[in-house]
Amino acid sequence: MGYTGLNRGQIDADVDIDPNNFTMELYYNAQSLASHAGLFFYGTTGQDAIRLQGVVRDTGAISLFCTTGTIMYNLTTAAGLITTGSYNEICFEADRAGQMAYIYLNGVVVGSTAMVRTVWNGSLDFYMAYARLSSNNLYSQGYIDSTRLSKGARYGGAGYTPHVGPFTS
């Protein structure tokens, strides 16, 4: 699926992510870094109090943020990791056992932070190519292909060999 500009895709199936313990993987090809780009969002659109999201910043940094009113984790990598015109495998992970959140780029950990575990209640809206930052809607500025959302931490902070082709179960 490719999303650019003011496009986003809501996943209609029940999605019940535990932000304490999940892995979100996707291939992303940035077409522009003129503004921040939403990659995924789990929460209620139009509000900032409860949300889990992944963002590519206009600096080429990657961010993972989660709050339930209290910030669970807020992680941003160094700038310049994402450039325009080529696909990258981006992985976001929260590891309940290790109490850490991670961002991987092409199989390499590029950011990590301690997380504050919390009780997460219920299924919320899940969107691809969308996020919110400082009360502003963010949409993809490129193409998102072959995504995989998993219950639990797949890698636990260890690097991995990037996938070749679509993700498998």
Side-chain angles (χ1 to χ4, degrees):
M1 83 184 127
Y3 293 99
T4 56
L6 299 179
N7 294 309
R8 67 180 181 204
Q10 182 175 7
I11 309 302
D12 290 330
D14 286 338
V15 177
D16 190 7
I17 302 169
D18 178 357
N20 296 288
N21 204 34
F22 80 97
T23 303
M24 176 69 186
E25 299 165 279
L26 54 88
Y27 292 105
Y28 184 65
N29 183 337
Q31 297 298 294
S32 172
L33 293 174
S35 63
H36 302 316
L39 297 179
F40 75 93
F41 175 88
Y42 184 59
T44 302
T45 59
Q47 62 91 11
D48 294 321
I50 300 173
R51 66 191 167 164
L52 165 66
Q53 65 186 22
V55 173
V56 170
R57 303 273 182 153
D58 58 2
T59 61
I62 308 165
S63 293
L64 175 62
F65 178 78
C66 185
T67 181
T68 58
T70 300
I71 294 176
M72 291 174 60
Y73 41 86
N74 185 3
L75 173 59
T76 299
T77 67
L81 294 180
I82 299 296
T83 57
T84 58
S86 62
Y87 275 96
N88 288 283
E89 182 176 329
I90 302 173
C91 175
F92 302 94
E93 182 177 66
D95 181 2
R96 178 192 319 265
Q99 297 186 27
M100 294 289 291
Y102 301 98
I103 298 174
Y104 305 79
L105 182 64
N106 300 319
V108 176
V109 174
V110 292
S112 64
T113 190
M115 62 183 246
V116 177
R117 293 186 300 178
T118 188
V119 175
W120 186 267
N121 294 317
S123 295
L124 300 170
D125 297 329
F126 185 78
Y127 289 89
M128 294 299 302
Y130 174 78
R132 283 184 59 80
L133 190 64
S134 301
S135 298
N136 294 309
N137 294 330
L138 307 177
Y139 301 94
S140 175
Q141 301 297 317
Y143 299 101
I144 299 173
D145 292 329
S146 190
T147 62
R148 176 170 60 183
L149 175 61
S150 305
K151 181 178 182 178
R154 284 185 168 270
Y155 308 110
Y160 63 91
T161 302
H163 299 85
V164 178
F167 298 110
T168 58
S169 56

